[in-house]
């Protein structure tokens, strides 16, 4: 089994780095989860805010590694030509990895205020806002890497076949880079700051990232099921139309209580209430394509990941998002554990799982085989279930905590202090941590599956399969 | 999907629909920007408030607290801490955080703020509490 284009191989280090950083993210998730109940754990060496930054920034960075790896893998195949510059891709890989690692080391070793002083935050203050905590230098690094990456991918598409699938991916990636520029806009006026902060955060996950996700899913389904490209690409357009038509004005569900005019309760509420539609369409799309498959692809694990993404993204983003998106509900749930519950299931179900889907499909190819040996696949599928089910439990426990929190702190006639309420939620936080430990076990099984060997494959399995078309 | 509905129709709907909602969103944003001054009281954005926001950011307060409901959920909402506690309480609270934390409890770092910095952060929190938030949070506990 050979790669169709040998420059696709540059995807491999991107995927490996993604998985490595994923492990780091989860380790810090476990620390955070413990700090919720053992408040002074690791204090003052690693205060909660620092650990949280590491957890969320690693998440974003490894997903970006995953997206870039996905693009480097699928664009040459779609464009039917070698990547414009594999060298540039390798170079950017190392720049991004080193910049990311230095940033994390900076968070952990240097007090945040000193880090800000050392890295030019006094020239242009961009730090200290949720998810955008990176030093100015790191942010600039991200822009440089993104530009070089887009240039590389863009040139490849330009000189080769232009499929709808790769154009949708490219649109999503360009959108990602352009919207990130709002990370450099930090006005002294908090209301304006918050208003445009969401143009990065919301317009990413409920906008352009959905294009990237749809394209990756479409590619994997195309390869695995052998369904007609026309059908798949038509679906993709329907999905991304729904995504952007609902998601752009849906940004308004974050404008209810931050100082923007009250009419956003209507605009944001109505449009964001329709945001589950594209996620539902993705679920239907996944199952539909697999049911109409024209071939039996030997990579069962990748099929499972693709279907899982469809279901879990709908649950996390669609169902858990809808739960608290209408203004009268959000008035009570805003900024509680309900938000955390949704954040976890949505990020996991949509973006973590779609990256693991493309890794599951592409990694065997990158290692010179169409699919992994049977035992490796079985282990990978165990990892799928362990991680997915435990993430559902994390979500359920946080939702339980959130309902109680809202009740005690915001609903009852004699509402209680924040910390008084938190103490009463300890049981839920312990249960969440146990679910997190199971998640970590799943992750270990996942890592192990890459090294699992098999008794020699039966000859006819390999021979009976037509080559991917 | 049937043959009546072709890929190029789907593509055109995508371009048209996206462009339309994008323009609508920009128009709403434009209108919001125009209406904001009466809601955020920017005439009160003094140098103190601006410095306070800078302190808020460079100490990464948002990594534990929410501010107008956004941030982390580990520590109390601070958008309305000014009316809840008052200036003196806030300053004393920040000033006397034990360096090694509170045994067994969620602990807030000691930031070694000067008196000027304490005034700045309070000014920022006071200004924030005066934003028109459509009566959020539901009660003073945040
Ligand atoms: C995969 C897609 C999505 C991801 C990754 C995601 C992730 C998140 C995250 C991380 C937050 C917390 C932001 C913060 O820290 O303040 C959040 C908030 C929110 N999300 Fe989503 N989300 C997604 C889709 C949706 C959808 C489709 C809806 C609506 C149907 C939705 C509704 C909301 C609402 C209302 C909030 C604000 C919660 C609050 O008031 O505290 N999300 N989302
Ligand atoms: C792939 C798996 C995971 C993903 C995608 C993920 C994602 C996130 C995100 C997006 C946030 C920000 C939350 C928000 O603003 O709403 C967050 C915070 C957090 N995560 Fe995770 N996480 C994962 C696994 C874990 C695990 C296994 C644990 C621990 C058991 C954990 C514990 C936490 C904690 C305690 C916070 C802080 C919540 C707060 O601010 O109060 N996470 N995570
Ligand atoms: Fe949103």
């Amino acid at each position: 089994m050979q790669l169709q284009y040998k420059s696709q191989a540059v995807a491999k280090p991107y995927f490996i780095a993604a998985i490595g950083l994923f492990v780091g993210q989860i380790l810090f998730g476990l620390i955070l989860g413990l700090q919720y109940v053992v408040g002074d754990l690791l204090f003052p060496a690693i205060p909660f805010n620092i650990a949280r930054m590491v957890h969320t920034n690693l998440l974003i960075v490894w997903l970006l590694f995953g997206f870039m790896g996905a693009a480097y893998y699928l664009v040459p195949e779609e464009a039917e030509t070698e990547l414009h510059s594999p060298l540039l891709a390798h170079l950017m890989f190392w720049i991004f990895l080193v910049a990311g690692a230095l940033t994390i080391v900076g968070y952990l070793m240097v007090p945040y205020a000193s880090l800000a002083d050392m890295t030019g935050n006094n020239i242009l203050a961009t730090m200290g806002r949720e998810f955008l905590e990176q030093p100015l230098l790191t942010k600039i690094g991200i822009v440089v890497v993104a530009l070089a990456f887009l240039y590389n991918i863009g040139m490849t598409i330009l000189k080769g076949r232009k499929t709808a699938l790769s154009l949708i991916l490219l649109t999503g990636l360009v959108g990602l880079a352009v919207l990130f520029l709002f990370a450099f806009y930090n006005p002294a006026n908090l209301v304006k700051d918050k208003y445009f902060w969401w143009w990065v955060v919301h317009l990413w996950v409920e906008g352009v990232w959905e294009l990237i996700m749809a394209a990756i899913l479409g590619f994997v389904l195309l390869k695995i099921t052998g369904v007609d490209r026309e059908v798949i690409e038509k679906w993709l357009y329907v999905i991304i139309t729904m995504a952007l038509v609902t998601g752009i004005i849906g940004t308004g569900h974050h404008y209810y209580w931050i100082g923007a005019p009250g009419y956003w309760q209507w605009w944001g509420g109505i449009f964001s209430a329709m945001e589950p539609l594209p996620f539902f369409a993705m679920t239907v799309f996944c199952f539909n394509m697999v049911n109409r498959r024209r071939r039996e692809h030997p990579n069962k694990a990748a099929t499972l990941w693709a279907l899982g993404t469809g279901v879990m993204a709908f649950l996390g983003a669609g169902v858990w998002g809808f739960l608290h998106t209408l203004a009268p509900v959000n008035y009570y749930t805003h900024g509680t554990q309900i938000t955390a519950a949704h954040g976890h299931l949505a990020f996991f179900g949509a973006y973590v799982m779609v990256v693991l889907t493309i890794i599951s499909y592409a990694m065997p190819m990158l290692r010179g085989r169409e699919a992994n040996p049977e035992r490796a696949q079985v282990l990978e599928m165990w990892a799928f279930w362990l991680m997915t089910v435990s993430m559902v439990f994390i979500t359920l426990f946080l939702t339980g905590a959130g309902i109680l929190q809202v009740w005690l702190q915001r609903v009852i006639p004699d509402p209680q202090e924040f910390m008084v309420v938190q103490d009463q939620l300890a049981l839920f936080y312990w249960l969440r941590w146990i679910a997190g430990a199971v998640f970590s076990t799943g992750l270990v099984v996942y890592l192990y599956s890459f090294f699992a060997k098999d008794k020699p494959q039966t000859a006819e399995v390999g021979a009976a399969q037509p080559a991917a078309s | 999907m049937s043959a009546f509905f072709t890929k190029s129709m789907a593509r055109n709907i995508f371009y048209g629909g996206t462009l339309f909602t994008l323009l609508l969103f920009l128009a709403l944003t434009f209108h919001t920007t125009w209406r904001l001054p009466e809601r955020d009281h920017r005439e009160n954005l003094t140098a103190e408030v601006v410095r306070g926001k800078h302190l808020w950011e460079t100490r990464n307060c948002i990594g534990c607290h929410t501010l107008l409901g956004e941030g982390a959920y580990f520590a109390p909402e601070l958008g309305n801490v000014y009316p809840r506690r008052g200036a003196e309480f806030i300053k004393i609270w920040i000033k006397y955080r034990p360096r090694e934390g509170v045994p067994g409890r969620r602990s807030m770092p000691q930031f070694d703020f000067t008196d000027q910095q304490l005034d700045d952060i309070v000014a920022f929190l006071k200004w924030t509490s005066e934003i028109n938030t459509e009566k959020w949070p539901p009660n003073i506990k945040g």
Side-chain angles (χ1 to χ4, degrees), chain A residues 22 25-26 29-30 32-33 36 48 52 55-56 59 130-131 339-340 344 347-348 352 391 394 432 436 439, chain B residues 72-74:
Chain A
F22 180 23
Q25 183 219 335
I26 298 308
L30 290 174
L32 290 167
Y36 250 83
F48 180 86
R52 189 182 198 271
H55 180 65
T56 56
L59 168 67
E130 196 194 359
F131 302 124
T339 312
H344 275 86
F347 253 111
F348 177 78
V352 169
M391 186 48 83
I394 290 180
R432 181 266 301 269
F439 187 98
Chain B
Y73 320 110
F74 187 71

Side-chain angles (χ1 to χ4, degrees), chain A residues 52 130-131 197-198 201 205-206 210 253-254 257 272-273 275-276 279 313 316-318 320-322 324-325 330 333-336 339 342-344 346-347 350-351, chain B residues 69-71 73:
Chain A
R52 189 182 198 271
E130 196 194 359
F131 302 124
W197 176 84
W198 283 111
V201 178
V205 298
E206 290 156 73
E210 285 181 62
H253 65 182
H254 303 293
W257 330 114
S272 70
E275 279 182 39
F279 290 101
W320 253 261
F322 182 80
H324 61 164
T325 205
N330 193 262
T333 61
H334 183 45
T336 63
T339 312
H342 156 69
H344 275 86
F347 253 111
Y351 301 116
Chain B
E70 293 167 6
Y73 320 110

Side-chain angles (χ1 to χ4, degrees), chain A residues 99-268:
Chain A
L102 282 179
T103 305
I104 301 297
V105 170
Y107 288 164
L108 291 171
M109 307 302 284
V110 186
Y112 192 68
S114 319
L115 187 65
D117 281 336
M118 287 158 50
T119 53
N121 195 58
N122 295 322
I123 303 168
L124 181 65
T126 66
M127 291 171 70
R129 295 171 305 148
E130 196 194 359
F131 302 124
L132 304 183
E133 295 94 346
Q134 310 79 24
L136 181 63
L137 287 173
T138 309
K139 288 199 180 87
I140 294 172
I142 294 175
V143 172
V144 170
V145 171
L147 283 179
F149 163 73
L150 288 174
Y151 165 78
N152 212 349
I153 292 295
M155 291 303 281
T156 311
I157 295 178
L158 217 59
K159 76 172 174 193
R161 181 174 69 143
K162 293 152 195 71
T163 64
L165 200 152
S166 58
L167 289 177
I168 290 170
L169 180 71
L170 186 64
T171 311
L173 292 166
V174 170
L176 186 159
V178 169
L179 288 167
F180 184 69
L181 296 179
F182 284 95
F184 293 91
Y185 178 63
N186 180 19
N189 185 333
L190 182 73
V191 179
K192 278 164 57 184
D193 168 5
K194 282 177 175 291
Y195 191 95
F196 291 102
W197 176 84
W198 283 111
W199 286 31
V200 186
V201 178
H202 169 99
L203 289 178
W204 265 10
V205 298
E206 290 156 73
V208 290
W209 284 27
E210 285 181 62
L211 271 60
I212 300 171
M213 176 183 172
I216 295 176
L217 268 182
F219 176 79
V220 173
L221 290 170
L222 183 69
K223 298 292 159 174
I224 286 182
T225 65
V227 169
D228 200 30
R229 172 182 289 277
E230 283 299 301
V231 177
I232 292 204
E233 292 186 334
K234 194 156 57 173
W235 268 97
L236 290 186
Y237 275 123
V238 172
I239 291 169
I240 65 171
T241 305
M242 289 180 184
L244 293 188
V245 166
T246 62
I248 293 176
I249 297 178
T251 315
H253 65 182
H254 303 293
Y255 293 164
Y256 301 158
W257 330 114
I258 62 164
Y263 56 65
W264 282 109
Q265 294 178 24
W266 291 100
W267 286 105

Side-chain angles (χ1 to χ4, degrees), chain A residues 291-309:
Chain A
N291 285 338
R292 289 162 62 173
R293 66 186 176 276
R294 295 203 186 138
R295 58 183 300 230
E296 293 299 329
H297 197 282
N299 193 338
K300 297 274 178 298
T303 316
L304 181 63
W305 281 111
L307 292 174
T309 308

